[in-house]
Amino acid sequence: MIYAVWVPLLMPFVAVPAARRLADALSPVRAVRLLASTGIGLALCSLLALALLVVPGATRFSAVSTFGELVRPLSDAAPAVAVPLAAAALALLAGCAAAVTRTARRHWAELHRSAQPSEYTGGELAVLRDSRPDAYALPGRPGTPGRIVVTTGMLRALDPAERDALLAHERAHLAGHHHLFIAAAEMAALCHPALRSLRAPMGYALERCADEAAASAVGDRRVAARAIGRAALAARAAEGAAQPRPRVALAAAAGPVPRRVAALLGRSAPRPRVGRAAVAALLACLVVSGAAALDATSDLHSSIEAAQGANPQH
């Protein structure tokens, strides 16, 4: 187990470079799904690896070994090595659990606040009387609809066709529950430091999903590209004076807008060969990480049986 258990902890560092290529190499929907499954899968495997590192050192304490009915230690490692290693793994697990719990509670509280009556309630579309250009999608709690918030300043900055594209973009964020993918990427990042690098490509891929939905809704990719570019320029010009958006909001003006506009205009088409290589690399990382975690779990189970005297020949 001592070798296999380290693989899930190291594999995210290998997977992240390949994951960064997905957003430009694949269709946005496929990129989002693969990024989400990669982040969640690698995070779970790394947490399992940390849990497996805790057990051998914990059984060095008489109370734990008595509870587990062990007649000898699980490993031949000296207590000076096994116990500090277990303590470090336990501290990391506790830190991850606390961070994930705190983030989940904050996310739920923000969703709850966004669903409460406020100055911009009144159906899916809420228009704020504000000269500062801004627009974003505000998701609701499970079972409650979200809403699209747009200021009068943003409406004045766009022509009618561009407004339709902008609203279609924000509507796609709500329909696709994109805030859940953002939350999943954030949770995975809290479980392993290397997975923090997945948040940027995830955000970009989600914006690209909404961009494509907007282009399909208005039937003109150039109009969608123009709407996103003009909305971003208008929002940036008023950035210093604009009120901060809720943390759960998703905005069309977010992320690398020039890359998104170029993709809409066909200047950066998906690269199938790069995409296939990146997908193969990520799937291999997931399989290797999962297999190593299962192997380490099986080895630990065998060690426990041997330490209990049930498998003396082990």
Side-chain angles (χ1 to χ4, degrees):
M1 183 188 76
I2 191 62
Y3 301 109
V5 77
W6 295 105
V7 173
L9 298 175
L10 298 176
M11 200 53 62
F13 294 101
V14 179
V16 163
R20 288 174 178 165
R21 294 176 170 268
L22 288 179
D24 286 322
L26 296 180
S27 67
V29 173
R30 291 184 62 196
V32 166
R33 292 173 179 172
L34 193 53
L35 284 169
S37 59
T38 297
I40 293 171
L42 293 178
L44 291 176
C45 287
S46 64
L47 291 178
L48 177 57
L50 288 176
L52 294 174
L53 286 172
V54 171
V55 177
T59 57
R60 291 285 181 173
F61 296 94
S62 58
V64 177
S65 62
T66 301
F67 176 79
E69 300 179 354
L70 305 180
V71 297
R72 66 179 180 83
L74 291 183
S75 69
D76 296 331
V81 174
V83 173
L85 181 60
L90 182 60
L92 289 174
L93 275 176
C96 290
V100 167
T101 301
R102 184 169 57 251
T103 301
R105 292 180 64 181
R106 186 194 69 208
H107 186 76
W108 178 259
E110 289 167 352
L111 290 178
H112 182 77
R113 282 195 297 270
S114 70
Q116 296 301 308
S118 66
E119 61 177 322
Y120 42 76
T121 55
E124 180 197 45
L125 177 62
V127 179
L128 294 181
R129 294 186 179 276
D130 193 332
S131 61
R132 295 165 295 196
D134 201 6
Y136 51 87
L138 196 59
R141 291 178 300 168
T144 61
R147 64 175 69 92
I148 299 169
V149 180
V150 60
T151 65
T152 52
M154 181 62 81
L155 294 177
R156 283 195 293 267
L158 307 177
D159 64 34
E162 293 166 352
R163 293 173 199 161
D164 290 341
L166 179 68
L167 296 179
H169 176 102
E170 304 300 353
R171 193 173 292 115
H173 278 317
L174 295 178
H177 303 288
H178 290 172
H179 65 287
L180 296 179
F181 291 96
I182 294 292
E186 187 173 355
M187 297 293 186
L190 295 173
C191 297
H192 196 291
L195 298 178
R196 295 172 186 168
S197 299
L198 295 183
R199 291 182 294 189
M202 173 66 83
Y204 173 71
L206 288 172
E207 291 301 329
R208 286 284 298 117
C209 286
D211 291 346
E212 293 296 328
S216 178
V218 300
D220 191 329
R221 299 181 69 83
R222 295 185 66 86
V223 169
R226 193 169 67 244
I228 291 164
R230 292 185 66 180
L233 288 173
R236 191 162 300 166
E239 193 172 24
Q243 293 181 351
R245 302 186 189 109
R247 292 177 62 95
V248 293
L250 296 104
V257 174
R259 282 172 62 196
R260 293 166 51 200
V261 170
L264 277 172
L265 296 178
R267 298 172 186 167
S268 58
R271 295 168 288 173
R273 184 175 299 178
V274 175
R276 285 193 293 269
V279 170
L282 285 183
L283 292 178
C285 289
L286 282 171
V287 169
V288 170
S289 184
L294 290 176
D295 180 64
T297 303
S298 176
D299 189 44
L300 178 62
H301 181 263
S302 298
S303 298
I304 291 174
E305 288 186 335
Q308 290 173 334
N311 190 14
Q313 71 274 14
H314 182 73

